[in-house]
Amino acid sequence: MSVSRRTFARIAAAGTAAAVASPAIAQGAVKWRMTSSFPKSLEGLYGASPTVARLVSEMSDGKFEIQTFGPGEIVPGLQVMDAVQNGTVECGHTYSGYYVGKNPTVIFDGSLPFGLTARQQNAWYMFGDGKRLIDEVYDGMGIVSIPMGNTGGQSFGWFRKEIKSPADFQGIKMRVAGFGGRVMAKLGVVPQQIAGGDSYPALEKGTIDACEWVGPYDDEKLGFNKVAKFYYYPGFWEGGPMLHVLVNEKKQAELPKAYLAALETACGEANQWMQAKYDAQNPPALRRLVASGTQLRPFPRAVLEAAEKAAYEVYDEMSAKSPHFKRIYPDWKKFRDEQFLWFRVAELTYENFAFTASQTVK
Amino acid sequence: MSVSRRTFARIAAAGTAAAVASPAIAQGAVKWRMTSSFPKSLEGLYGASPTVARLVSEMSDGKFEIQTFGPGEIVPGLQVMDAVQNGTVECGHTYSGYYVGKNPTVIFDGSLPFGLTARQQNAWYMFGDGKRLIDEVYDGMGIVSIPMGNTGGQSFGWFRKEIKSPADFQGIKMRVAGFGGRVMAKLGVVPQQIAGGDSYPALEKGTIDACEWVGPYDDEKLGFNKVAKFYYYPGFWEGGPMLHVLVNEKKQAELPKAYLAALETACGEANQWMQAKYDAQNPPALRRLVASGTQLRPFPRAVLEAAEKAAYEVYDEMSAKSPHFKRIYPDWKKFRDEQFLWFRVAELTYENFAFTASQTVK
């Protein structure tokens, strides 16, 4: 790329226009590819990719362009981490829970059962030890992770038959991601890892008996309500799952500093963009689901208690197996306990009063 | 500003270095001033200003510089809106609740009693009608508002004497911002609007009997615990107050497009930065306050019920007085009611179980 005579003329003109001149200069152009784990039809999850692409393009006057791809266009949805590691793409948007088989500690970059809410995960990441500890996890893998989206507290999922006690989980084949599968296995479930877009046909054909995905807005789009009647909450394994763009470490090092700042800041905006989108669009979606016959059910407390007990067994086992997990877990756990205690004060007291009282007053 | 020979040489060199070239070009430089309503000592609130300044500088390779000022350096803390309107500064970081005397509808850009939480406010703003309705409010004032921070659910505040029933509010002079003052007035409180930094001396001298500010982290810094013993929650008038940078409309129109995108995206990052900072730093601050003798108390339900009744009276009065308020309120109220109903499902069920059960298990 060379600087043309015309570009020089534009720069000279811009120089005289001072503060109002466009900073656009036809140099320093960078083109990246971002592959996503999430189907394009799910505009909350997938939509974060074009949002980041648009923002970095705007902020760089079109010089830093990121082309975005859905699952299967370059690599399958669950192979984003590999594609980033081996440099097939510069970056990919995904959920760390898909890769716990490779390295269980990546789960701290996502969501642990009975773990942090979306706000609390941001707090641990930005102002606790989260970022430092997570950077260490990825360091040996040649990748860098930047937070890029959260769905908020998820639903537990869709079941063909009613769950009245923990015993009803016995032998159920369920699509469930991350550490949720390990916890559910202790309750008798046979967990399956299936990409989002493939879950509906699996449930329809009876390859699986149950599945979890995100919440009303996505689940309605994927059509789960058409093949399963019972919709349970809360999704205790994903109280606030953080998604991220994984970036190839070498490619990031080559990026001009201003573009890296633009990428990180754009991901920050996408982080809250996604949360706001789900929060705004889940309520009408849930209303439509219930109107169409979905049986919305809270889990009996005994089920949640059994699941929590199982979760702590999983944590003990992971700590025994992985020294790295054992090192991060106590930091995360201490932060979590302090957050839970504090959130019970102003935030939860407010919500418990306002969310219910308001319905009766007016 | 002219483009020097040396700059031309740098551009030519950059052109050959292709993708890894720095996009820095010494043209299009813009310098802005941002004044803040918040004392520099309160790094959660004030800190959003230098955070945005740093990000836009990084993203523009130092060409878009924002100099930040605390209250009193250019204008007093409660005169930020005026300073932006009349062009004294290009922009200012503030809370709309300070200006309800000028125009009550600006409160929708901040927080209404028994209103939206931080996440819900983002959802209304970004994916409901919030942004459109709020833009209309500011349109006639020659300013533009961009969200830039949230504290999360606040504390009710500091009292010298115990509040056992709504009758105990009678005649209490209290520093309270926004619509909170109007609601408390109905319960017998004499509300005072005082800038944050001036509240401690007022409470110490007895000019006021009680005050609210934000939450443990800020309140400890301002020293309220030294002059008042009782600390109440929840702060029902600010369940998730959104702060914002107000920008002079003309100055914004002069900004190069890429810089405006950088400013908006940086403010988005500051929005979640502030929330995460408060969430991380409130828990240890509360522990220190309680250890130093502060009596932390939830309000009796009767107090919250009286306050909610008073809040709806205020809304009725505002709707009768201001046609503009009357037009926005039903949109906001409908969105709020749907949010409250939905958040009772996955999010609140998860939080109520996890925040308490976890304390007993391990």
Side-chain angles (χ1 to χ4, degrees):
Chain A
M1 205 189 67
S2 70
V3 179
S4 69
R5 186 182 295 268
R6 196 165 152 190
T7 307
F8 274 113
R10 232 185 41 227
I11 297 165
T16 60
V20 294
S22 161
I25 302 292
Q27 64 96 18
V30 172
K31 277 191 197 303
W32 271 23
R33 301 197 302 171
M34 181 185 288
T35 189
S36 173
S37 289
F38 312 111
K40 288 186 169 177
S41 61
L42 302 180
E43 45 190 282
L45 291 168
Y46 177 76
S49 292
T51 299
V52 166
R54 177 179 57 77
L55 290 172
V56 299
S57 174
E58 283 176 11
M59 292 191 283
S60 67
D61 260 320
K63 286 177 293 174
F64 182 16
E65 294 287 354
I66 300 177
Q67 205 182 345
T68 63
F69 297 89
E73 293 187 318
I74 300 175
V75 292
L78 300 181
Q79 288 173 31
V80 170
M81 185 181 273
D82 291 309
V84 172
Q85 267 189 300
N86 65 28
T88 303
V89 291
E90 287 81 8
C91 63
H93 186 226
T94 190
Y95 175 58
S96 71
Y98 299 152
Y99 313 103
V100 291
K102 266 178 187 282
N103 180 346
T105 52
V106 296
I107 199 67
F108 290 103
D109 197 22
S111 183
L112 283 86
F114 299 100
L116 303 162
T117 63
R119 262 173 61 175
Q120 294 167 348
Q121 178 76 15
N122 281 346
W124 185 58
Y125 188 86
M126 296 172 82
F127 292 98
D129 296 323
K131 182 174 175 357
R132 182 178 59 76
L133 293 168
I134 287 168
D135 284 352
E136 281 174 27
V137 168
Y138 288 109
D139 215 31
M141 305 167 82
I143 50 182
V144 176
S145 166
I146 307 170
M148 183 175 148
N150 203 307
T151 63
Q154 298 199 354
S155 299
F156 187 94
W158 298 86
F159 289 75
R160 282 224 178 78
K161 61 170 201 169
E162 211 172 343
I163 302 291
K164 288 177 186 159
S165 81
D168 293 330
F169 286 129
Q170 213 57 43
I172 282 188
K173 280 177 288 179
M174 180 176 183
R175 184 271 173 202
V176 44
F179 268 38
R182 301 188 182 197
V183 171
M184 293 310 292
K186 291 200 176 282
L187 300 182
V189 160
V190 185
Q192 314 279 319
Q193 175 133 308
I194 302 173
D198 303 328
S199 299
Y200 174 81
L203 189 60
E204 193 193 19
K205 281 179 208 151
T207 315
I208 54 175
D209 309 303
C211 77
E212 63 87 31
W213 179 245
V214 170
Y217 182 57
D218 274 11
D219 294 2
E220 181 192 32
K221 285 199 175 199
L222 293 175
F224 297 136
N225 57 314
K226 292 178 198 150
V227 284
K229 188 174 166 190
F230 297 99
Y231 193 26
Y232 283 96
Y233 65 91
F236 63 78
W237 50 71
E238 285 167 343
M242 186 183 260
L243 309 179
H244 12 256
V245 64
L246 301 181
V247 182
N248 182 287
E249 210 165 45
K250 280 188 199 145
K251 298 289 179 186
Q252 176 171 308
E254 288 168 13
L255 207 56
K257 248 179 85 177
Y259 293 178
L260 178 57
L263 176 65
E264 288 173 344
T265 313
C267 289
E269 172 64 16
N271 201 40
Q272 66 176 2
W273 174 93
M274 187 190 294
Q275 183 67 81
K277 190 171 175 69
Y278 276 109
D279 288 343
Q281 294 176 333
N282 274 328
L286 182 62
R287 211 180 332 105
R288 288 191 299 267
L289 287 170
V290 170
S292 79
T294 288
Q295 298 290 311
L296 180 70
R297 300 278 164 92
F299 261 124
R301 195 171 170 93
V303 170
L304 288 177
E305 280 168 353
E308 203 194 21
K309 191 169 165 288
Y312 285 109
E313 288 169 23
V314 169
Y315 295 148
D316 285 345
E317 289 164 15
M318 292 312 309
S319 296
K321 253 191 242 171
S322 159
H324 200 167
F325 188 96
K326 192 179 177 178
R327 199 160 61 77
I328 300 179
Y329 179 73
D331 181 286
W332 174 88
K333 176 70 161 58
K334 183 166 178 280
F335 192 91
R336 190 205 70 151
D337 288 351
E338 288 216 352
Q339 287 290 303
F340 281 7
L341 209 55
W342 155 244
F343 266 76
R344 283 162 65 181
V345 180
E347 200 79 30
L348 205 54
T349 311
Y350 176 72
E351 295 181 3
N352 276 323
F353 180 83
F355 292 3
T356 54
S358 65
Q359 302 306 318
T360 59
V361 172
K362 223 170 203 194
Chain B
M1 204 187 70
S2 70
V3 180
S4 71
R5 188 180 295 266
R6 195 166 154 192
T7 306
F8 274 111
R10 236 187 34 230
I11 295 166
T16 61
V20 294
S22 159
I25 302 292
Q27 63 97 18
V30 172
K31 279 192 196 303
W32 271 23
R33 301 198 302 172
M34 181 185 287
T35 188
S36 173
S37 289
F38 312 111
K40 288 187 169 177
S41 61
L42 302 180
E43 44 190 282
L45 290 168
Y46 177 77
S49 291
T51 298
V52 165
R54 177 178 57 76
L55 290 173
V56 300
S57 174
E58 283 176 11
M59 292 191 284
S60 67
D61 260 319
K63 287 176 293 173
F64 182 15
E65 295 287 354
I66 299 176
Q67 205 182 345
T68 63
F69 298 88
E73 294 187 318
I74 300 175
V75 292
L78 300 181
Q79 287 172 31
V80 170
M81 185 181 273
D82 291 310
V84 172
Q85 267 188 299
N86 64 30
T88 303
V89 291
E90 286 80 7
C91 63
H93 186 227
T94 190
Y95 175 58
S96 70
Y98 299 152
Y99 313 102
V100 291
K102 267 178 187 282
N103 179 348
T105 52
V106 296
I107 199 68
F108 290 102
D109 198 21
S111 183
L112 284 86
F114 299 100
L116 303 163
T117 64
R119 263 173 61 177
Q120 295 167 348
Q121 179 75 15
N122 281 346
W124 184 59
Y125 188 85
M126 295 172 81
F127 293 98
D129 296 322
K131 181 173 175 0
R132 181 178 58 78
L133 293 169
I134 288 168
D135 283 352
E136 281 175 26
V137 168
Y138 288 109
D139 214 32
M141 305 167 81
I143 52 183
V144 175
S145 165
I146 306 170
M148 183 176 148
N150 203 308
T151 63
Q154 298 200 352
S155 300
F156 188 95
W158 298 86
F159 289 76
R160 283 227 177 77
K161 60 170 201 169
E162 211 173 344
I163 302 291
K164 288 176 185 159
S165 80
D168 293 331
F169 286 130
Q170 213 57 42
I172 283 189
K173 279 177 289 177
M174 179 175 184
R175 185 271 173 202
V176 44
F179 268 37
R182 300 186 183 200
V183 171
M184 293 311 292
K186 290 199 176 284
L187 300 181
V189 160
V190 185
Q192 314 280 319
Q193 175 134 306
I194 302 174
D198 302 328
S199 298
Y200 174 81
L203 189 61
E204 193 194 20
K205 281 179 207 151
T207 316
I208 53 175
D209 309 302
C211 78
E212 62 87 32
W213 179 246
V214 170
Y217 182 57
D218 274 11
D219 293 3
E220 181 193 32
K221 286 200 173 196
L222 293 175
F224 297 135
N225 58 314
K226 293 178 198 150
V227 284
K229 188 175 166 189
F230 298 99
Y231 194 27
Y232 284 96
Y233 66 91
F236 63 77
W237 50 71
E238 284 167 345
M242 186 183 259
L243 309 179
H244 12 256
V245 62
L246 301 180
V247 182
N248 181 288
E249 210 165 44
K250 280 187 200 146
K251 299 288 178 185
Q252 175 171 310
E254 288 169 15
L255 208 57
K257 249 178 85 178
Y259 293 178
L260 177 57
L263 176 65
E264 288 174 343
T265 313
C267 289
E269 173 63 17
N271 200 41
Q272 66 177 2
W273 173 94
M274 187 191 294
Q275 183 66 80
K277 191 171 174 70
Y278 276 109
D279 287 343
Q281 294 176 332
N282 275 328
L286 182 62
R287 212 180 330 105
R288 288 190 300 268
L289 286 170
V290 170
S292 80
T294 289
Q295 299 290 310
L296 181 69
R297 300 279 165 92
F299 261 123
R301 195 171 171 92
V303 170
L304 288 176
E305 281 168 352
E308 203 195 21
K309 191 169 164 285
Y312 286 109
E313 288 170 21
V314 169
Y315 295 148
D316 285 345
E317 288 164 15
M318 291 313 307
S319 296
K321 253 192 242 169
S322 159
H324 199 167
F325 188 96
K326 192 179 176 178
R327 199 160 61 79
I328 299 180
Y329 179 74
D331 181 284
W332 174 88
K333 176 72 161 56
K334 183 167 178 278
F335 192 91
R336 189 204 72 152
D337 288 352
E338 288 216 351
Q339 287 290 303
F340 282 7
L341 209 55
W342 155 244
F343 266 76
R344 283 162 65 179
V345 180
E347 200 79 31
L348 204 55
T349 309
Y350 175 73
E351 295 181 5
N352 276 323
F353 179 84
F355 293 3
T356 54
S358 66
Q359 303 304 320
T360 59
V361 173
K362 223 171 202 192

